């Protein structure tokens, strides 16, 4: 029987590449996004249902899940992909921006998961694939809020997998490294209040070093991440974590072999932090 995947954040990047990959492999796809009216490409694909879903809006989650079930009869996999990055000094960020970062990256993922869980429980099968990041395992400076959401995704996914496995429901975590998507542009929100001038000597040089370190040649295309996601969905294994990209493999292996102090020293050296 044809399988069905529901994907959040399917308007661009990893989400869109995943829609194309699963569709090309013969799956039904519920491609969800905040603004389906802007979509021009995915509507052309057979067995792809475009549905409106804002992870901050429970009603839209309910409607998209119902529309998907009505169209395809079942859901086999949910790809929790929607997310964005908040950067800057923690003290500068307004409380509502912190709330939004958590609403999208963490509570949105919880809400989509809780909406689909009753169906998975009844059908005694299903899989959640949660998009974390290398940044769910290691941290860079000036990214405390984003990292804390991805660490939350990692901890949540690993723990909840214990209680769901006996019900026939799998949980998988995909950890991309740097991926050439809109994430670094439209999905990154940098906030620093330069009036907090004690931070300025730190922020300027670190942001410059970041730019220098960002080598597009070392980034992976979103199609590569979609391949890893497809592998996670179909390999039949109980593997929990999947790294996506050569940089992810390299950074996470290096981190695993280092003490906290050695890692922090290396980070400071690379970013030229005193
Ligand atoms: N790019 C990287 O280097 C990288 C590395 C590691 C992990 N990741 C993770 O990969 C995931 C996808 O990011 P991407 O790189 O593919 O960036 P992207 O192209 O900017 O995609 C982000 C997606 O999230 C959606 N989104 C944002 N807020 C939403 C909301 N409230 N409800 C529903 N959808 C929402 C965006 O939709 P709109 O079009 O409506 O804005 C967009 O489709 C994210 O979870 C990100 O943290 C990315």
């Amino acid at each position: 029987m044809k399988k069905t995947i529901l994907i959040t954040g399917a308007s661009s990047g990893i989400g869109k590449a995943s829609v194309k990959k699963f569709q090309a492999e013969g799956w039904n796809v519920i491609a969800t996004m905040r603004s389906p009216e802007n979509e021009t490409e995915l509507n052309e694909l057979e067995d792809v249902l475009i549905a409106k879903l804002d992870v901050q809006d429970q009603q839209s989650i309910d409607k998209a899940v119902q529309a998907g079930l009505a169209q395809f009869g079942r859901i086999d996999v949910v790809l929790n992909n929607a997310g964005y990055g908040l950067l800057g000094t923690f003290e500068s960020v307004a409380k509502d921006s912190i709330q939004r970062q958590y609403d999208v990256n963490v509570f949105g993922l919880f809400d989509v998961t809780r909406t689909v869980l009753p169906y998975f429980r009844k059908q005694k099968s299903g899989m959640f694939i949660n998009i974390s990041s290398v940044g769910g395992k290691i941290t860079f400076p000036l990214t405390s809020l984003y990292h804390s959401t991805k660490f939350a995704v990692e901890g949540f996914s690993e723990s909840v997998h214990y209680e769901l496995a006996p019900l026939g429901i799998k949980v998988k975590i995909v950890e991309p490294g740097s991926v050439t998507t809109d994430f670094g542009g439209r999905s990154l929100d940098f906030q620093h209040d330069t009036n907090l001038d004690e931070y300025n000597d730190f922020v300027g040089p670190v942001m410059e070093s970041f730019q220098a370190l960002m080598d597009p040649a070392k980034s992976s295309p979103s199609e590569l991440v979609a391949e890893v996601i497809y592998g996670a969905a179909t390999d039949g294994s109980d593997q929990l974590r999947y790294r996506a990209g050569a940089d992810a493999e390299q950074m996470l292996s290096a981190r695993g072999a280092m003490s906290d102090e050695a890692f922090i020293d290396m980070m400071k050296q690379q970013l030229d932090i005193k």
Side-chain angles (χ1 to χ4, degrees):
M1 197 185 17
K2 216 169 163 160
K3 291 202 166 187
T4 302
I5 183 168
L6 180 145
I7 298 175
T8 66
S11 65
S12 65
I14 295 167
K16 185 169 239 177
S18 300
V19 174
K20 292 181 188 164
K21 173 68 185 166
F22 280 82
Q23 192 271 348
E25 296 288 346
W27 286 51
N28 300 315
V29 183
I30 309 160
T32 76
M33 56 193 75
R34 287 191 290 187
S35 309
E37 64 281 6
N38 297 337
E39 184 55 47
T40 53
E41 197 184 352
L42 300 179
N43 341 42
E44 303 293 317
L45 301 178
E46 215 173 287
D47 296 327
V48 172
L49 171 70
I50 313 276
K52 185 177 173 66
L53 189 161
D54 180 337
V55 298
Q56 292 179 270
D57 172 4
Q58 180 63 49
Q59 242 190 356
S60 76
I61 301 174
D62 290 336
K63 275 192 179 165
V65 169
Q66 277 157 22
L69 287 168
Q71 174 99 4
F72 299 124
R74 60 184 276 133
I75 297 173
D76 298 281
V77 178
V78 169
L79 176 61
N80 279 312
N81 163 73
Y84 77 97
L86 184 53
L87 246 80
T89 45
F90 172 67
E91 200 182 341
S92 298
V93 179
K95 194 166 178 200
D96 58 352
S97 298
I98 298 177
Q99 185 67 51
R100 185 174 161 245
Q101 174 76 118
Y102 271 78
D103 281 346
V104 175
N105 290 15
V106 181
F107 293 112
L109 180 150
F110 288 170
D111 289 343
V112 171
T113 303
R114 286 167 69 87
T115 306
V116 177
L117 263 176
Y119 297 98
F120 279 2
R121 228 179 342 101
K122 268 192 215 130
Q123 80 188 8
K124 297 186 175 29
S125 71
M127 184 188 292
F128 294 101
I129 303 180
N130 296 335
I131 301 298
S132 173
S133 168
V134 160
K137 286 294 202 51
I138 65 174
T139 72
F140 295 92
L142 297 176
T143 324
S144 57
L145 289 160
Y146 177 70
H147 285 306
S148 66
T149 65
K150 292 299 186 183
F151 274 57
V153 167
E154 293 267 348
F156 165 71
S157 305
E158 182 174 316
S159 178
V160 81
H161 109 276
Y162 290 113
E163 76 208 41
L164 297 182
L167 313 185
I169 301 166
K170 290 188 182 186
V171 180
K172 304 216 165 196
I173 303 167
V174 172
E175 297 163 332
S178 172
V179 189
T180 40
T181 63
D182 278 355
F183 194 77
R186 142 187 110 79
S187 292
L188 269 191
D189 175 10
F190 176 76
Q191 296 188 19
H192 172 58
D193 177 357
T194 48
N195 292 319
L196 303 178
D197 54 14
E198 292 90 340
Y199 291 107
N200 292 342
D201 287 346
F202 179 80
V203 174
V206 168
M207 290 310 288
E208 268 176 37
S209 308
F210 265 147
Q211 303 291 353
L213 264 186
M214 290 297 166
D215 178 358
K218 288 192 182 144
S219 294
S220 306
S222 41
E223 288 73 21
L224 181 143
V225 184
E227 289 284 341
V228 173
I229 293 166
Y230 185 74
T234 56
D235 68 7
S237 80
D238 290 329
Q239 186 178 330
L240 180 64
R241 287 189 169 82
Y242 295 78
R243 297 168 179 177
D247 61 338
E249 194 56 57
Q250 189 264 321
M251 281 191 275
L252 292 174
S253 300
R255 180 66 185 95
M258 279 180 180
S259 66
D260 289 348
E261 292 70 26
F263 177 77
I264 288 167
D265 280 349
M266 186 198 73
M267 187 63 75
K268 283 180 165 173
Q269 256 181 17
Q270 285 194 354
L271 293 176
D272 206 14
I273 299 170
K274 305 287 172 281

